[in-house]
Amino acid sequence: MTGVNLKNSLIALTLGFGLASCGNSEPEDTMNVVDTTAQDEVLTEDMFESPDVDYHLPSPLQVASIFKKSGLAYHSNITNSTANASKYTEELKQMLNFGVYSADMAYCVLNEQANEGRKYLGVITTLAEQIGMEAVFENQDLMERFDKNIEDKDSIEILMIDIHERTESYMEENDMQHQSSIHFAGAWTEGMYLGVYDYEKNKEKEGLGSQITEQMAILSNIIKGLKDPKNSGTDLGWLITDLEKIQTTFDGFASVQAYVADENATELELTEADFKTLGDLIKTLRSKIINA
Amino acid sequence: MKRLLIISASFCFVVLFAQTASNLTEFKENIETQKVEAKDALKPYRYDGSKVTYFNFKTYKQTKEVEVYLFNNTDYRFSFNGKSLPNDITVQIYDEDQTITSRILLKEFSGVMGKNVVVETTELQKAYDTKKPNGGRLKRVFVSYAIPGVPGAENKTPTMKERGAMVLVMGYKM
C-alpha cells in the first residue's frame, strides 16, 4: 500500500465519519472503534510483514547478459515482432508480452542492435500504459535518453536498469508485486527461447547449454509467484499448467535425477534428447504467449 | 451529548489515523532513500534489483529468508541497509534453505542497525570451498534474517517502534 492508498483510506474514513455524524446517534453499544482496529490490522499485516520465505528473481538484463557471456549469438528476426503488440488486447497477454519485449530489448541492446532496441522500448511503453504502469514511463524522458545515447551501449544499458528499477519501485508502491511474476514468466520464456534457438544452431556451445540448464532453477519460484492468491483474478491456469509441465519434464530427466541423487555432482549436464524435449516445450509455450 | 461524544471520539481517531498514515509514509520514504544508498554501495557492480523485507519485532524470535540466484561466471555484491531497523538483527547467509538441517553457514554478521554492509559472493564461495571441499560452485544462497524477540513488544498491533525493514540490493559484475 502506498502513501496515495493511505490517503485514500483516510479520506474514505473521514467521509464515513462525516456521514455517520450527520445521521442519528447510534446506540451506545455500537459506539466502538471496531472498524478502526480492523483497518489498523489490515494496514499492519499488508504492509509490514514480508513472507517468511521469499526470493529475488534476476532482471531481464542480467539474464540476457549471462546468456551473452555464455556465447549466445544474435539472430535477427527471432524476437517477438513489435507489430504483434497491438494484437494483445487481453490484460494477461499484455502483461506477459511486457516481459517478452523486455527480454527482447535486453537481447538487442546487448548485441548492439540499438535501433531494434528502440522499437522494443516503444512497445514496452505502450503495453505499460495498458497494464496500468504508465507512470513508469511518464515524462517521455526515457525515449529521449535512448535517442541521445543510441550509439553508447553502456548508457543504454544503464537506461534499461533505470526502467527496471522504476518498474520495481512502482509495483512495490502500488501493491502490484504479485504481477511481477507474470511479467517475469514472459521474460523467462523469451530468454529461454532465444537460448534454445541459438543452441540448436550450434550445439558445440557448452556454456550456452549449461546456462539454459541453470535458468531452470528459477522456474519453481516463478510458478510459486504466479500462484500468489492475489493473482487469482487472472486466468493463469494454462500458463501454470505449461510451466509445471516444463518443470516436471525437466525433473524427470534421468540426467537430472542422477545429478540430484549424487551428492558429489557439481554440474548438471543434459543429454541432447533432454535439450530437444525441453526446447520443444519452451517453443510451444512461447508460441502461446506471443500469439494473440 | 451522545453526538458530541461520537464526534470527539471520531475526531481523535481521525487524528491518530492521520498520524499513523504520516509515520508509515515517512517510513516508506526513508526506505526509498536507503535503497539509493545501498545501490551506491554496489558500485562498480551493476544494479540488478532489490528486496525489502518488512517485519515487526515481537516478543519472540522470528526468521525471514530470501533466496538469491547466483549464475555461472558472475560475481555478485549484496548491499544490506539496516537504517530502518529499530533494533539490531543478525544476518546469516547459507547455501541451502532452512528445511535442510545440514546447510552450511557461509557468513554471519550483526551490528547492521543504522549501517550499510556490503558482502561479495567471492567471499561466500571461499567459505563454501573451505567448509565443503569439492562442493563446486554456489548456485544460489539463502539470506536469513534472525530477528530477536523484544520484551514488551506489541505482537498483535505493532507500533512504529516495532516496525523494521531490511533493505537488500543486489548487483553483478559486468
Side-chain angles (χ1 to χ4, degrees):
Chain A
M1 196 182 280
T2 63
V4 175
N5 290 339
L6 283 167
K7 278 179 203 155
N8 291 341
S9 304
L10 182 56
I11 290 164
L13 279 163
T14 309
L15 284 173
F17 156 62
L19 290 170
S21 64
C22 290
N24 292 330
S25 298
E26 293 291 320
E28 239 169 79
D29 61 354
T30 60
M31 281 174 55
N32 55 42
V33 284
V34 169
D35 288 344
T36 313
T37 313
Q39 276 289 345
D40 196 37
E41 281 181 0
V42 167
L43 280 175
T44 304
E45 285 168 12
D46 282 354
M47 294 177 63
F48 292 102
E49 277 295 347
S50 293
D52 289 348
V53 178
D54 208 348
Y55 52 87
H56 166 72
L57 297 174
S59 66
L61 188 64
Q62 190 200 157
V63 173
S65 169
I66 291 166
F67 266 122
K68 184 160 171 60
K69 273 202 285 188
S70 305
L72 180 72
Y74 179 75
H75 301 270
S76 57
N77 301 322
I78 62 161
T79 48
N80 186 18
S81 167
T82 52
N84 287 337
S86 59
K87 297 175 193 164
Y88 304 131
T89 51
E90 277 177 46
E91 193 183 26
L92 173 58
K93 285 292 178 82
Q94 290 165 346
M95 288 195 279
L96 282 169
N97 283 285
F98 178 84
V100 168
Y101 285 134
S102 299
D104 286 339
M105 183 179 169
Y107 177 68
C108 291
V109 167
L110 286 174
N111 286 287
E112 299 179 26
Q113 304 293 321
N115 285 320
E116 282 298 301
R118 189 185 188 283
K119 288 182 199 167
Y120 285 109
L121 178 57
V123 289
I124 289 168
T125 305
T126 306
L127 287 176
E129 284 168 11
Q130 292 167 345
I131 58 179
M133 297 202 308
E134 60 274 22
V136 174
F137 296 86
E138 71 187 0
N139 304 327
Q140 299 295 311
D141 62 325
L142 293 171
M143 193 59 93
E144 281 171 27
R145 272 176 62 194
F146 196 104
D147 288 340
K148 209 172 164 182
N149 296 291
I150 200 155
E151 300 296 332
D152 183 352
K153 183 167 155 275
D154 276 353
S155 297
I156 300 284
E157 285 180 36
I158 289 165
L159 184 143
M160 284 200 69
I161 294 167
D162 282 355
I163 295 172
H164 176 64
E165 200 178 351
R166 284 190 199 194
T167 307
E168 199 180 54
S169 293
Y170 184 81
M171 296 189 89
E172 190 181 330
E173 284 168 15
N174 291 281
D175 197 21
M176 293 166 73
Q177 283 166 306
H178 54 285
Q179 291 179 2
S180 65
S181 55
I182 304 177
H183 304 164
F184 201 86
W188 181 86
T189 306
E190 185 70 351
M192 290 291 273
Y193 171 78
L194 297 171
V196 164
Y197 184 93
D198 190 42
Y199 184 73
E200 285 178 350
K201 298 277 173 275
N202 188 352
K203 291 175 181 164
E204 301 305 306
K205 291 180 180 176
E206 281 179 20
L208 187 54
S210 304
Q211 198 45 243
I212 292 168
T213 308
E214 204 166 38
Q215 290 296 315
M216 283 301 298
I218 305 172
L219 186 54
S220 61
N221 275 329
I222 298 174
I223 295 169
K224 196 194 287 178
L226 292 172
K227 287 180 174 177
D228 185 320
K230 286 183 183 172
N231 282 328
S232 59
T234 310
D235 180 21
L236 295 171
W238 64 271
L239 179 64
I240 293 171
T241 302
D242 278 21
L243 289 171
E244 283 181 336
K245 188 176 177 189
I246 293 172
Q247 182 76 69
T248 51
T249 303
F250 178 81
D251 291 343
F253 289 151
S255 52
V256 174
Q257 291 185 340
Y259 172 78
V260 172
D262 182 359
E263 278 190 11
N264 296 317
T266 56
E267 294 296 333
L268 167 61
E269 285 182 23
L270 298 185
T271 65
E272 280 309 308
D274 294 341
F275 272 117
K276 170 85 174 66
T277 307
L278 185 63
D280 288 348
L281 290 171
I282 296 286
K283 283 186 265 186
T284 303
L285 174 60
R286 196 252 188 184
S287 291
K288 283 188 192 173
I289 290 174
I290 70 162
N291 291 322
Chain B
M1 187 59 185
K2 260 184 191 173
R3 178 170 292 198
L4 187 63
L5 276 172
I6 295 170
I7 291 171
S8 303
S10 303
F11 180 75
C12 288
F13 160 67
V14 169
V15 169
L16 274 172
F17 189 87
Q19 183 60 50
T20 306
S22 165
N23 287 340
L24 296 177
T25 304
E26 191 185 341
F27 185 80
K28 294 284 270 186
E29 283 169 359
N30 287 342
I31 284 171
E32 284 308 309
T33 308
Q34 289 146 19
K35 264 192 206 173
V36 173
E37 192 179 330
K39 189 182 161 190
D40 285 345
L42 283 181
K43 289 173 184 170
Y45 285 45
R46 180 157 281 182
Y47 174 84
D48 188 58
S50 63
K51 178 63 72 178
V52 182
T53 303
Y54 295 96
F55 46 84
N56 295 294
F57 283 89
K58 293 179 179 158
T59 51
Y60 49 88
K61 287 181 192 173
Q62 303 166 80
T63 303
K64 300 271 181 193
E65 198 159 276
V66 180
E67 179 178 2
V68 184
Y69 297 96
L70 310 176
F71 296 110
N72 200 8
N73 302 321
T74 309
D75 292 331
Y76 294 85
R77 186 175 274 187
F78 303 145
S79 184
F80 295 90
N81 193 299
K83 294 191 177 178
S84 276
L85 291 175
N87 304 295
D88 199 20
I89 66 168
T90 301
V91 180
Q92 295 162 321
I93 305 176
Y94 292 94
D95 67 328
E96 297 273 9
D97 70 70
Q98 55 193 310
T99 64
I100 311 293
T101 52
S102 60
R103 67 179 177 165
I104 296 168
L105 178 63
L106 304 167
K107 187 173 177 71
E108 179 175 31
F109 59 95
S110 50
V112 69
M113 187 178 90
K115 290 183 187 164
N116 198 91
V117 176
V118 171
V119 174
E120 291 187 5
T121 50
T122 45
E123 75 171 284
L124 302 178
Q125 183 66 53
K126 271 184 196 167
Y128 187 60
D129 291 342
T130 305
K131 294 182 178 181
K132 191 177 180 183
N134 307 317
R137 181 176 54 85
L138 280 167
K139 295 180 178 72
R140 54 187 170 173
V141 289
F142 294 81
V143 176
S144 184
Y145 301 124
I147 305 154
V150 172
E154 294 284 342
N155 289 351
K156 284 190 177 172
T157 52
T159 60
M160 285 308 293
K161 65 178 183 183
E162 278 125 16
R163 288 183 173 129
M166 191 68 187
V167 175
L168 167 58
V169 173
M170 284 138 296
Y172 60 97
K173 203 173 188 177
M174 291 165 287

